[in-house]
Amino acid sequence: MPARVLDGSEIARTMRGELRERVASMGRAGVPVTLDAVLTGDEDSPARLYAQNQQKQCEQVGIRFRLHALPSDASAGDIAGTIASLNNDADVTGIMLHLPVPEGVDAYELQRRIAPEKDIEGVNPSNIGNIVYGRSSLVPCTALAAMRLIEETGVRLRGKTAVVVGAGNVVGKPLAVLLMRAEATVISCNVHTPELGSLATRADVLIAAAGVPRLVGPELVREGAVVIDVGVNRIEQPDGSRMTCGDVDFEKVRESAGWISPVPGGVGPVTVATLLSNAVEAAALASGATPAEITPADPPN
Protein backbone atom coordinates (compact mmCIF):
# COMPACT_ATOMS: atom_id res chain seq x y z
CA MET A 1 0.00 0.00 0.00
CA PRO A 2 1.49 3.38 -0.98
CA ALA A 3 2.57 5.72 1.79
CA ARG A 4 0.24 8.38 3.12
CA VAL A 5 1.44 11.77 1.90
CA LEU A 6 1.99 14.56 4.42
CA ASP A 7 0.37 17.62 2.85
CA GLY A 8 2.51 20.50 4.11
CA SER A 9 0.30 23.11 2.50
CA GLU A 10 -2.77 21.87 4.38
CA ILE A 11 -0.85 21.63 7.66
CA ALA A 12 0.44 25.17 7.19
CA ARG A 13 -3.10 26.38 6.47
CA THR A 14 -4.26 24.89 9.77
CA MET A 15 -1.33 26.46 11.59
CA ARG A 16 -2.12 29.90 10.16
CA GLY A 17 -5.72 29.56 11.30
CA GLU A 18 -4.56 28.77 14.83
CA LEU A 19 -2.08 31.65 14.74
CA ARG A 20 -4.73 34.09 13.53
CA GLU A 21 -6.84 33.34 16.59
CA ARG A 22 -3.88 33.61 18.92
CA VAL A 23 -2.60 36.89 17.45
CA ALA A 24 -6.10 38.38 17.77
CA SER A 25 -6.25 37.25 21.40
CA MET A 26 -2.83 38.75 22.09
CA GLY A 27 -3.88 41.99 20.44
CA ARG A 28 -6.88 42.24 22.75
CA ALA A 29 -4.49 41.72 25.66
CA GLY A 30 -2.30 44.58 24.40
CA VAL A 31 0.48 42.32 23.10
CA PRO A 32 1.28 43.16 19.46
CA VAL A 33 3.19 40.72 17.25
CA THR A 34 5.76 42.07 14.80
CA LEU A 35 8.16 40.71 12.22
CA ASP A 36 10.96 42.97 11.01
CA ALA A 37 12.91 41.55 8.09
CA VAL A 38 16.30 42.82 6.94
CA LEU A 39 17.08 42.25 3.28
CA THR A 40 19.81 43.20 0.82
CA GLY A 41 19.43 42.86 -2.92
CA ASP A 42 17.65 44.07 -6.02
CA GLU A 43 13.91 44.57 -6.48
CA ASP A 44 13.55 41.38 -8.53
CA SER A 45 15.78 39.12 -6.41
CA PRO A 46 14.36 35.80 -5.15
CA ALA A 47 14.83 37.02 -1.58
CA ARG A 48 12.67 40.09 -2.30
CA LEU A 49 9.94 37.88 -3.77
CA TYR A 50 10.11 35.66 -0.70
CA ALA A 51 9.83 38.72 1.54
CA GLN A 52 6.74 39.86 -0.36
CA ASN A 53 5.14 36.44 0.15
CA GLN A 54 6.12 36.62 3.79
CA GLN A 55 4.38 39.96 4.14
CA LYS A 56 1.17 38.52 2.70
CA GLN A 57 1.22 35.63 5.13
CA CYS A 58 1.89 37.95 8.06
CA GLU A 59 -1.09 40.07 7.04
CA GLN A 60 -3.27 36.94 6.88
CA VAL A 61 -2.66 36.18 10.55
CA GLY A 62 -2.46 39.77 11.85
CA ILE A 63 1.29 40.10 12.33
CA ARG A 64 2.74 43.55 11.61
CA PHE A 65 5.44 43.13 8.95
CA ARG A 66 8.14 45.66 8.12
CA LEU A 67 10.81 45.18 5.48
CA HIS A 68 14.13 46.97 5.93
CA ALA A 69 15.58 46.87 2.41
CA LEU A 70 19.25 47.70 1.93
CA PRO A 71 21.12 47.97 -1.38
CA SER A 72 22.80 44.91 -2.87
CA ASP A 73 26.22 46.38 -2.07
CA ALA A 74 25.44 47.12 1.58
CA SER A 75 28.41 46.63 3.89
CA ALA A 76 28.56 44.41 6.94
CA GLY A 77 28.50 47.58 9.03
CA ASP A 78 25.33 48.82 7.33
CA ILE A 79 23.51 45.54 7.97
CA ALA A 80 24.82 45.23 11.52
CA GLY A 81 23.69 48.80 12.22
CA THR A 82 20.15 48.00 11.06
CA ILE A 83 20.07 44.91 13.26
CA ALA A 84 21.35 46.89 16.26
CA SER A 85 18.64 49.50 15.75
CA LEU A 86 15.95 46.81 15.70
CA ASN A 87 17.44 45.10 18.75
CA ASN A 88 17.12 48.37 20.65
CA ASP A 89 13.57 49.14 19.50
CA ALA A 90 11.11 48.04 22.17
CA ASP A 91 8.31 47.92 19.58
CA VAL A 92 10.15 45.21 17.61
CA THR A 93 9.55 41.69 18.90
CA GLY A 94 10.81 39.55 16.00
CA ILE A 95 13.78 39.98 13.64
CA MET A 96 15.05 37.89 10.73
CA LEU A 97 17.85 38.35 8.22
CA HIS A 98 17.15 37.29 4.64
CA LEU A 99 19.91 35.42 2.88
CA PRO A 100 22.02 35.67 0.86
CA VAL A 101 23.94 38.67 2.13
CA PRO A 102 26.36 40.54 -0.17
CA GLU A 103 29.53 38.77 -1.24
CA GLY A 104 32.26 39.08 1.34
CA VAL A 105 29.85 39.62 4.24
CA ASP A 106 29.78 36.92 6.93
CA ALA A 107 26.17 35.87 7.51
CA TYR A 108 27.05 34.05 10.74
CA GLU A 109 28.54 37.22 12.24
CA LEU A 110 25.32 39.09 11.44
CA GLN A 111 22.99 36.36 12.69
CA ARG A 112 24.76 36.22 16.03
CA ARG A 113 24.10 39.95 16.44
CA ILE A 114 20.31 39.43 16.44
CA ALA A 115 19.05 39.56 20.02
CA PRO A 116 18.31 35.93 21.01
CA GLU A 117 14.85 36.81 22.32
CA LYS A 118 13.96 38.41 18.94
CA ASP A 119 15.64 35.76 16.77
CA ILE A 120 12.56 34.19 15.20
CA GLU A 121 14.59 32.03 12.80
CA GLY A 122 16.39 30.47 15.77
CA VAL A 123 19.79 30.96 14.12
CA ASN A 124 21.58 32.92 16.85
CA PRO A 125 24.23 30.53 18.26
CA SER A 126 22.86 30.97 21.78
CA ASN A 127 19.40 29.82 20.67
CA ILE A 128 20.82 26.83 18.83
CA GLY A 129 22.99 25.94 21.82
CA ASN A 130 20.14 26.24 24.29
CA ILE A 131 18.10 23.69 22.36
CA VAL A 132 20.29 21.04 23.97
CA TYR A 133 19.12 22.15 27.41
CA GLY A 134 15.52 22.71 26.42
CA ARG A 135 15.90 26.37 27.35
CA SER A 136 15.13 27.96 23.98
CA SER A 137 11.65 28.17 22.50
CA LEU A 138 12.94 29.85 19.33
CA VAL A 139 14.10 26.81 17.37
CA PRO A 140 15.35 26.83 13.75
CA CYS A 141 12.19 26.82 11.67
CA THR A 142 12.94 23.94 9.31
CA ALA A 143 13.91 21.60 12.14
CA LEU A 144 10.72 22.51 14.00
CA ALA A 145 8.68 22.05 10.81
CA ALA A 146 10.04 18.53 10.38
CA MET A 147 8.99 17.75 13.95
CA ARG A 148 5.51 19.10 13.22
CA LEU A 149 5.19 16.77 10.23
CA ILE A 150 6.23 13.80 12.35
CA GLU A 151 3.62 14.83 14.91
CA GLU A 152 0.97 14.79 12.18
CA THR A 153 1.58 11.07 11.62
CA GLY A 154 0.55 10.26 15.18
CA VAL A 155 3.74 8.23 15.68
CA ARG A 156 5.09 8.52 19.23
CA LEU A 157 8.83 9.09 19.11
CA ARG A 158 9.62 7.70 22.55
CA GLY A 159 11.58 4.47 22.07
CA LYS A 160 11.59 4.76 18.27
CA THR A 161 14.74 4.80 16.16
CA ALA A 162 15.18 8.04 14.22
CA VAL A 163 17.88 8.41 11.56
CA VAL A 164 18.87 11.88 10.39
CA VAL A 165 20.86 11.95 7.14
CA GLY A 166 22.64 15.31 7.15
CA ALA A 167 24.22 17.25 9.99
CA GLY A 168 23.86 20.90 8.99
CA ASN A 169 23.94 23.57 11.68
CA VAL A 170 20.35 24.78 11.28
CA VAL A 171 18.56 21.55 10.30
CA GLY A 172 20.36 18.26 10.91
CA LYS A 173 22.05 19.04 14.22
CA PRO A 174 19.15 20.80 15.98
CA LEU A 175 16.71 18.24 14.58
CA ALA A 176 18.76 15.42 16.08
CA VAL A 177 18.61 17.16 19.47
CA LEU A 178 14.85 17.71 19.21
CA LEU A 179 14.41 14.01 18.46
CA MET A 180 16.58 13.13 21.47
CA ARG A 181 14.46 15.37 23.65
CA ALA A 182 11.43 13.43 22.43
CA GLU A 183 13.22 10.30 23.74
CA ALA A 184 13.88 8.75 20.36
CA THR A 185 17.09 6.81 19.76
CA VAL A 186 18.87 9.02 17.25
CA ILE A 187 21.45 8.05 14.64
CA SER A 188 23.11 10.98 12.86
CA CYS A 189 24.53 10.18 9.41
CA ASN A 190 25.82 12.00 6.35
CA VAL A 191 26.68 11.18 2.76
CA HIS A 192 30.11 9.91 3.85
CA THR A 193 28.75 7.47 6.45
CA PRO A 194 29.98 3.94 5.69
CA GLU A 195 27.16 1.45 5.16
CA LEU A 196 24.54 4.18 5.25
CA GLY A 197 21.91 1.71 4.08
CA SER A 198 22.31 -0.63 7.04
CA LEU A 199 21.76 2.29 9.43
CA ALA A 200 18.94 3.96 7.49
CA THR A 201 16.91 0.78 7.24
CA ARG A 202 16.79 0.61 11.05
CA ALA A 203 14.78 3.83 11.13
CA ASP A 204 11.19 4.06 12.28
CA VAL A 205 11.56 7.72 11.30
CA LEU A 206 13.98 8.72 8.54
CA ILE A 207 14.78 12.38 7.90
CA ALA A 208 16.73 13.31 4.76
CA ALA A 209 18.53 16.65 5.06
CA ALA A 210 21.78 16.15 3.16
CA GLY A 211 21.17 18.38 0.14
CA VAL A 212 21.78 15.55 -2.32
CA PRO A 213 19.07 14.99 -4.96
CA ARG A 214 17.25 11.65 -4.52
CA LEU A 215 19.91 10.30 -2.20
CA VAL A 216 17.34 8.19 -0.35
CA GLY A 217 15.92 5.42 -2.47
CA PRO A 218 13.72 2.48 -1.44
CA GLU A 219 16.76 0.41 -0.50
CA LEU A 220 17.39 2.82 2.41
CA VAL A 221 13.84 2.78 3.77
CA ARG A 222 12.33 0.29 6.16
CA GLU A 223 8.81 -0.78 5.24
CA GLY A 224 6.24 1.40 6.98
CA ALA A 225 8.75 4.06 8.07
CA VAL A 226 7.95 7.75 8.36
CA VAL A 227 10.08 9.57 5.76
CA ILE A 228 10.55 13.33 6.06
CA ASP A 229 12.29 15.02 3.11
CA VAL A 230 13.95 18.32 4.02
CA GLY A 231 16.05 18.63 0.86
CA VAL A 232 15.33 21.22 -1.81
CA ASN A 233 17.40 20.71 -4.96
CA ARG A 234 17.22 22.13 -8.47
CA ILE A 235 18.19 19.57 -11.07
CA GLU A 236 18.44 19.73 -14.85
CA GLN A 237 16.12 17.60 -16.95
CA PRO A 238 17.17 15.85 -20.20
CA ASP A 239 15.41 18.60 -22.16
CA GLY A 240 17.45 21.31 -20.40
CA SER A 241 14.63 22.49 -18.15
CA ARG A 242 15.08 22.53 -14.38
CA MET A 243 12.88 21.03 -11.71
CA THR A 244 12.77 20.95 -7.91
CA CYS A 245 13.21 17.67 -6.10
CA GLY A 246 14.08 16.54 -2.61
CA ASP A 247 16.68 14.24 -1.11
CA VAL A 248 14.21 11.36 -1.37
CA ASP A 249 13.23 9.52 -4.55
CA PHE A 250 9.58 10.21 -3.81
CA GLU A 251 7.81 7.99 -6.34
CA LYS A 252 9.89 4.92 -5.53
CA VAL A 253 10.04 5.37 -1.76
CA ARG A 254 6.32 6.00 -1.37
CA GLU A 255 5.67 2.40 -2.41
CA SER A 256 7.15 1.07 0.84
CA ALA A 257 7.09 3.93 3.36
CA GLY A 258 4.24 4.41 5.80
CA TRP A 259 4.25 8.21 5.60
CA ILE A 260 6.19 10.52 3.30
CA SER A 261 6.53 14.26 2.78
CA PRO A 262 6.79 15.54 -0.82
CA VAL A 263 9.05 18.21 -2.30
CA PRO A 264 7.72 20.73 -2.98
CA GLY A 265 4.67 20.91 -0.72
CA GLY A 266 5.95 19.16 2.38
CA VAL A 267 8.38 20.70 4.86
CA GLY A 268 8.58 24.02 2.96
CA PRO A 269 5.11 25.48 3.65
CA VAL A 270 5.29 24.33 7.27
CA THR A 271 8.67 26.05 7.66
CA VAL A 272 7.12 29.39 6.64
CA ALA A 273 4.20 28.87 9.03
CA THR A 274 6.68 27.97 11.77
CA LEU A 275 8.47 31.29 11.25
CA LEU A 276 5.17 33.05 11.94
CA SER A 277 4.66 30.83 14.98
CA ASN A 278 8.11 31.79 16.27
CA ALA A 279 7.21 35.46 15.79
CA VAL A 280 4.15 34.94 17.98
CA GLU A 281 6.27 33.07 20.53
CA ALA A 282 8.81 35.90 20.66
CA ALA A 283 6.09 38.49 21.20
CA ALA A 284 4.56 36.43 24.01
CA LEU A 285 7.92 36.10 25.71
CA ALA A 286 8.62 39.83 25.31
CA SER A 287 5.35 40.58 27.08
CA GLY A 288 6.55 38.70 30.14
CA ALA A 289 3.99 35.94 29.67
CA THR A 290 4.75 32.31 29.06
CA PRO A 291 3.25 31.04 25.79
CA ALA A 292 0.55 29.12 27.67
CA GLU A 293 -0.62 32.28 29.44
CA ILE A 294 -1.81 33.88 26.21
CA THR A 295 -4.31 31.57 24.61
CA PRO A 296 -7.01 32.17 22.00
CA ALA A 297 -10.17 33.59 23.49
CA ASP A 298 -13.68 33.70 22.11
CA PRO A 299 -14.16 36.93 20.15
CA PRO A 300 -16.37 39.53 21.79
CA ASN A 301 -20.06 39.47 20.83
Side-chain angles (χ1 to χ4, degrees):
M1 179 177 176
R4 285 166 286 186
V5 177
L6 289 158
D7 186 342
S9 297
E10 183 58 35
I11 295 167
R13 190 174 299 113
T14 298
M15 291 175 66
R16 288 194 298 272
E18 294 167 351
L19 289 171
R20 190 180 304 113
E21 292 182 19
R22 190 171 175 207
V23 170
S25 176
M26 291 171 67
R28 291 192 290 272
V31 181
V33 183
T34 73
L35 194 165
D36 284 67
V38 180
L39 178 145
T40 58
D42 300 325
E43 288 285 342
D44 59 350
S45 68
R48 181 65 65 96
L49 296 175
Y50 174 59
Q52 291 170 352
N53 178 58
Q54 194 176 66
Q55 180 173 4
K56 292 176 183 176
Q57 297 210 27
C58 282
E59 290 171 350
Q60 288 175 9
V61 301
I63 295 174
R64 187 201 71 187
F65 178 89
R66 293 191 303 184
L67 180 64
H68 304 267
L70 301 175
S72 57
D73 60 351
S75 68
D78 293 334
I79 303 169
T82 301
I83 291 171
S85 176
L86 296 173
N87 284 340
N88 294 325
D89 187 341
D91 292 332
V92 173
T93 60
I95 303 169
M96 71 163 291
L97 173 66
H98 280 280
L99 300 180
V101 293
E103 187 176 353
V105 174
D106 189 336
Y108 169 83
E109 285 299 318
L110 294 172
Q111 289 171 330
R112 75 179 185 85
R113 291 175 181 270
I114 299 174
E117 67 276 11
K118 298 185 179 187
D119 169 34
I120 60 172
E121 287 189 291
V123 292
N124 182 296
S126 71
N127 276 334
I128 291 179
N130 276 326
I131 295 169
V132 175
Y133 300 100
R135 297 177 63 92
S136 177
S137 56
L138 297 177
V139 176
C141 299
T142 303
L144 206 54
M147 293 295 289
R148 174 66 186 248
L149 287 176
I150 296 169
E151 180 184 328
E152 288 290 323
T153 69
V155 171
R156 285 178 57 85
L157 285 167
R158 176 180 291 175
K160 295 294 193 297
T161 298
V163 174
V164 182
V165 185
N169 290 333
V170 295
V171 181
K173 289 176 184 176
L175 185 51
V177 174
L178 291 174
L179 291 162
M180 289 179 201
R181 282 172 48 188
E183 300 184 317
T185 299
V186 181
I187 301 172
S188 176
C189 306
N190 57 65
V191 294
H192 306 294
T193 299
E195 300 183 9
L196 176 60
S198 66
L199 294 173
T201 51
R202 295 169 57 184
D204 300 298
V205 177
L206 177 63
I207 299 102
V212 179
R214 296 174 180 152
L215 170 68
V216 175
E219 71 282 358
L220 298 185
V221 178
R222 174 179 173 179
E223 186 173 354
V226 174
V227 180
I228 307 297
D229 192 351
V230 180
V232 179
N233 309 287
R234 294 288 290 169
I235 61 172
E236 188 169 328
Q237 300 283 77
D239 63 1
S241 63
R242 297 180 69 80
M243 68 169 290
T244 300
C245 73
D247 287 2
V248 176
D249 192 332
F250 180 84
E251 293 300 335
K252 293 180 180 178
V253 169
R254 73 179 300 190
E255 294 303 315
S256 57
W259 293 84
I260 190 169
S261 68
V263 175
V267 173
V270 182
T271 296
V272 178
T274 300
L275 179 73
L276 304 184
S277 179
N278 276 357
V280 174
E281 187 92 354
L285 294 171
S287 74
T290 62
E293 289 175 333
I294 300 178
T295 55
D298 292 333
N301 293 326

